């Protein structure tokens, strides 16, 4: 049997970068690493090249042999991308505009083999949608001044095609052999938002059109063939007040224009994630308030499989579409459920606590989760599991910024009819166990002291209770721990005696117990302090008036409340005295 194709991943951290053969080999590759910090790292979509940027230049190497291919002498590059076939490298530097001249071009396109500059543009921010390519690399597209301009890579000084749609704010070019472009126009006044689709090169009439309200921005999710599109609409504010993150809806559109609809979701709340099955015309959605619901829908946007309810916010199909990962990352606990799409059953649940990235390897057998900085600056590293749930690699890396798999066609890794077990000879790792036993939180000032026994008292009331009863804390309404029947009877008798004495005193004198004398306050030394004191006393008068009104209405007040009402004359006298001493006070 032919040797199985190896997979690979690369990472960059604060102090290093590295390239590894992924499981089942799991070994670091020899690499001519740069001495300075790597600012960006990216594989080409076909897996042929790996590029990284340092402060002074960008280097391109052969991902298979690790041989140098080209060096681009461009300083200050912060991000790197490839065209779909790896023919061109796209670099981006921070936008700058001198006061006495035009903005400097900061988005550049280079030949990947020679490092020659093909063209440059001005672009303030960079992301996946900054410059988009058709799969055949015939055109690259960019949004400029409210219009989508398509450039031929060999002539980047002038656009070859221009799509003009009034008010367009974003666009997306589809994958596939016959590419389409979708444009989004947000709401304006009473006019609804809209998404229109055109065939690239034929902009006379749109092939599909969809309008909707409550859409300030959108995300586009194309099927890998480019035949269907999911549009996730979002608003910044939820007018109902139920969600801090705004409102979201999901719409289905066919590129041919023969079908479109809103995807009906049976649970209120935000839409957390959407993903197409790469092998079938179906998609998965995670939606609703936590714990969120996950479900599969067919190519007519009809639900076909309920994947249950759990605290999850991310969904990923493996490249063959056979295994589905439902993850709860970010602020959630980090659990990942793996489902077998064929048998419609859950395979296992993985504990990936602290992870901020989840991605399938190109072979569809291994799932990677990584804890990245700066979101978390502790426990950074890479973990990889076989889809049976066995952890096969755990590699801690300090201040890990980025990690990604080397892309490869899924056809290179044929799937068996049944899910394969963990390969023989591979080392299965056990989750790391903390050397410190888990326990209650201890404040920083107490961490250097010996840990107190859990049975030791933690407050003065605890000490008093345990001194009397020799046991744990007293729960109201329950007998103290360790109290004997004789001790309980004596305590109850003492309480009854105190209550009888208090009632007898009130009956004899006809007055409630005298209030505790207030602590005398220092005499104000100037008008500012006197004014503050007068305002405090007037606030007490307001409270006394409210208590008096409740008493006059027939409400039974507590003894301390009655005492407070009786102190009204003293407060009034103090106010008058202060106003006399400091006659210039304006209240």
């Amino acid at each position: 049997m032919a040797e199985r194709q190896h997979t690979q991943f690369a990472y960059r951290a604060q102090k290093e970068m590295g390239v590894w053969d992924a499981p089942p080999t799991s070994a670091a590759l020899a690499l001519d690493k740069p001495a300075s910090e790597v600012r960006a790292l990216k594989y080409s979509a076909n897996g042929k090249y790996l590029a990284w940027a340092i402060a002074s230049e960008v280097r391109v190497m052969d991902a298979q042999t690790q041989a140098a291919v080209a060096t681009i002498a461009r300083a200050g590059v912060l991000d790197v991308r490839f065209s779909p076939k790896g023919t061109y490298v796209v670099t981006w530097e921070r936008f700058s505009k001198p006061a006495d001249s035009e903005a400097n071009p900061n988005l550049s396109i280079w030949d990947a083999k020679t490092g020659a500059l093909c063209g440059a543009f001005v672009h303030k921010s960079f992301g996946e949608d900054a410059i988009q390519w058709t799969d055949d690399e015939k055109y690259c597209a960019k949004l400029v001044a409210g219009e989508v301009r398509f450039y031929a890579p060999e002539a980047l000084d002038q656009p070859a095609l221009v799509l003009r749609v009034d008010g367009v704010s974003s666009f997306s070019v589809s994958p596939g052999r016959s590419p389409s472009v979708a444009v989004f126009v947000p709401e304006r006044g009473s006019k609804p938002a809209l998404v229109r689709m055109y065939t690239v090169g034929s902009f006379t009439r749109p092939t599909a059109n969809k309008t909707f309200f409550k859409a300030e921005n959108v995300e586009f999710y194309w099927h890998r063939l480019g035949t269907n599109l999911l549009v996730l609409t979002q608003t910044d504010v939820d007018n109902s007040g139920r969600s801090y993150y705004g409102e979201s809806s999901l719409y289905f559109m066919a590129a041919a224009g023969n079908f479109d609809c809103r995807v009906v979701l049976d649970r209120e709340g935000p839409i957390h994630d959407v993903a197409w099955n790469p092998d079938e015309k179906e998609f998965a959605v995670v939606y609703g308030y936590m714990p969120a619901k996950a479900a599969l829908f067919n190519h007519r946007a009809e639900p076909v499989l309920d994947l249950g309810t759990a605290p999850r916010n991310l969904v990923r199909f493996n490249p063959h579409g056979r295994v589905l990962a439902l993850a709860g990352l970010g602020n959630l606990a980090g659990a990942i459920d793996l489902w077998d799409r064929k048998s419609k059953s859950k395979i296992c649940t993985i504990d990936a606590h602290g992870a901020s990235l989840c991605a399938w390897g190109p072979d569809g057998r291994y799932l990677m989760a990584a804890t990245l900085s700066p979101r978390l600056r502790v426990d950074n590293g890479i973990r990889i599991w076989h889809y049976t749930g066995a952890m096969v690699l755990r590699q801690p890396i300090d201040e890990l910024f980025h990690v990604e798999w080397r892309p490869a066609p899924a056809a290179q890794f044929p799937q068996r009819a049944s899910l394969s077990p963990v390969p023989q000879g591979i080392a299965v790792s056990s989750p790391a166990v903390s050397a410190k036993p888990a326990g209650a939180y201890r404040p920083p000032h107490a961490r250097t002291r010996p840990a107190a026994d859990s049975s030791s008292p933690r407050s003065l009331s605890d000490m008093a209770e345990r001194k009397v009863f020799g046991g744990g804390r007293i729960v109201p309404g329950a007998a103290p721990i360790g109290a004997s029947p004789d001790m309980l009877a004596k305590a109850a008798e003492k309480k009854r005696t105190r209550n009888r004495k208090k009632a007898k005193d009130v009956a004899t004198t006809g007055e409630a117990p005298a209030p505790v004398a207030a602590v005398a306050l220092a005499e104000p030394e100037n008008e500012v302090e006197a004014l503050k004191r007068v305002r405090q006393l007037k606030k007490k008068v307001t409270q006394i008036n409210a208590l008096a009104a409740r008493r006059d209405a027939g409400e039974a007040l507590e003894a301390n409340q009655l005492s407070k009402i009786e102190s009204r004359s003293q407060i009034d006298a103090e106010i008058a005295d202060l106003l006399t001493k400091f006659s210039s006070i304006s209240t």
Side-chain angles (χ1 to χ4, degrees), residues 428-440:
V428 178
S429 304
S430 300
V433 179
S434 175
K436 299 180 180 180

Side-chain angles (χ1 to χ4, degrees), residues 459-575:
S459 66
L460 293 176
S461 60
D462 282 346
M463 294 173 67
E465 291 162 3
R466 297 193 183 193
K467 184 176 180 181
V468 175
F469 298 111
R473 299 190 60 167
I474 296 177
V475 178
I481 300 174
S484 65
D486 291 342
M487 296 173 68
L488 293 175
K490 289 180 180 179
E493 181 61 30
K494 287 182 179 180
K495 185 175 182 180
R496 286 194 293 269
T497 302
R498 288 195 302 269
N499 290 340
R500 285 196 298 267
K501 186 176 183 299
K502 187 183 297 184
K504 184 178 179 180
D505 292 341
V506 173
T508 303
T509 61
E511 297 179 357
V516 178
V519 178
L521 298 176
E523 186 74 16
E525 296 180 355
N526 52 51
E527 292 185 0
V528 174
E529 292 182 1
L531 178 58
K532 291 181 179 179
R533 179 61 181 159
V534 169
R535 288 177 178 172
Q536 292 173 356
L537 293 173
K538 287 192 172 184
K539 182 182 288 187
K540 289 185 178 181
V541 170
T542 302
Q543 297 171 352
I544 290 172
N545 291 338
L547 288 173
R550 291 167 55 187
R551 180 196 60 187
D552 297 341
E555 182 178 344
L557 300 181
E558 299 290 338
N560 61 336
Q561 294 175 323
L562 294 172
S563 300
K564 190 171 185 178
I565 294 175
E566 296 299 328
S567 66
R568 169 66 185 270
S569 58
Q570 299 176 6
I571 295 175
D572 289 340
E574 187 177 352
I575 293 175

Side-chain angles (χ1 to χ4, degrees), residues 4 97 109 136 150-151 176 185 223 274 379 417 419 456 508 540 574:
R4 182 178 176 273
K97 184 179 184 298
I109 299 179
D136 58 5
F150 290 80
Y151 297 85
V185 178
H223 187 270
V274 180
D379 297 331
L419 296 179
S456 61
T508 303
K540 289 185 178 181
E574 187 177 352

Side-chain angles (χ1 to χ4, degrees), residues 14-92:
Q14 176 70 34
K15 298 180 180 179
E16 64 168 343
M17 67 162 287
V19 179
W20 278 56
D21 267 341
T25 307
S26 299
L29 300 179
L31 186 67
D32 182 16
K33 299 180 181 180
S36 57
E37 177 189 357
V38 175
R39 298 181 172 184
L41 180 145
K42 189 68 178 177
Y43 279 106
S44 61
N46 59 3
K48 185 176 181 181
Y49 299 123
L50 174 65
W52 66 85
I54 57 177
S56 59
E57 62 188 16
V58 177
R59 300 180 187 177
V60 181
M61 79 171 195
D62 187 295
Q64 183 65 32
T65 64
Q66 290 78 56
V69 175
T71 299
I72 299 172
R74 187 75 166 202
V77 172
L78 298 178
D79 210 336
V80 178
R81 296 283 191 275
F82 279 95
S83 59
K85 294 183 177 180
T87 308
Y88 303 97
V89 178
V90 182
T91 63
W92 180 81

Side-chain angles (χ1 to χ4, degrees), residues 146-147 163-169 183-186 188 191 194 196 198:
E147 58 186 27
L163 171 59
R164 295 183 176 89
V165 179
D166 187 28
V168 61
S169 65
V183 295
F184 168 67
V185 178
R188 288 182 297 176
K191 295 183 179 179
L194 64 89
R196 286 179 181 167
Y198 298 84

